Structure formats: structure tokens, C-alpha cells
Amino acid sequence: MKKYFQLGDVFYYFVRVFKKPNPNDPTSFNLRMMHGINRISIIMFLFCLIVMIFRAFTR
């Protein structure tokens, strides 16, 4: 049961998405676009989470 609540891989993905790409890794246009969209969605999620927390405390 403890295995299902480990979040290490999730947080590692956040770090990996925003890290500078390795020049030795093969890249393609589709992979770069996928990581770009993931970056945008992570930033939007964190922004909305901050707004929701702010609104909850100011009411």
C-alpha cells in the first residue's frame, strides 16, 4: 500500500521537464512539442492552484 503513495517519480518528472535537454539524446519535433505543452500545463496548474489558495484565504 505504501508503494502507491510514493510521489518521487512525479516530482522527478517536474524537474526533468524544466531541465535543459541533453545534446546526446535523440530529439524530434513531436517530443519537443510534447514537453513544451507539458511545461505550459504545469505552469497553468500551479498558477491556478495559487489563485485558488489565495481566494480561499481572502474570503
Side-chain angles (χ1 to χ4, degrees):
M1 190 69 161
K2 186 177 178 181
K3 174 184 157 190
Y4 294 113
F5 293 104
Q6 291 178 344
L7 298 175
D9 292 337
V10 174
F11 293 121
Y12 176 69
Y13 180 76
F14 289 141
V15 172
R16 193 178 70 197
V17 166
F18 291 104
K19 192 167 51 169
K20 187 175 180 181
N22 187 359
N24 296 329
D25 288 342
T27 59
S28 66
F29 179 76
N30 293 332
L31 185 63
R32 287 185 302 180
M33 289 299 109
M34 181 190 70
H35 285 301
I37 291 170
N38 285 348
R39 285 183 193 114
I40 292 169
S41 64
I42 290 169
I43 290 169
M44 286 178 59
F45 172 76
L46 292 175
F47 175 74
C48 292
L49 191 65
I50 291 169
V51 168
M52 288 172 57
I53 292 170
F54 177 75
R55 290 183 69 184
F57 283 123
T58 58
R59 288 187 176 187

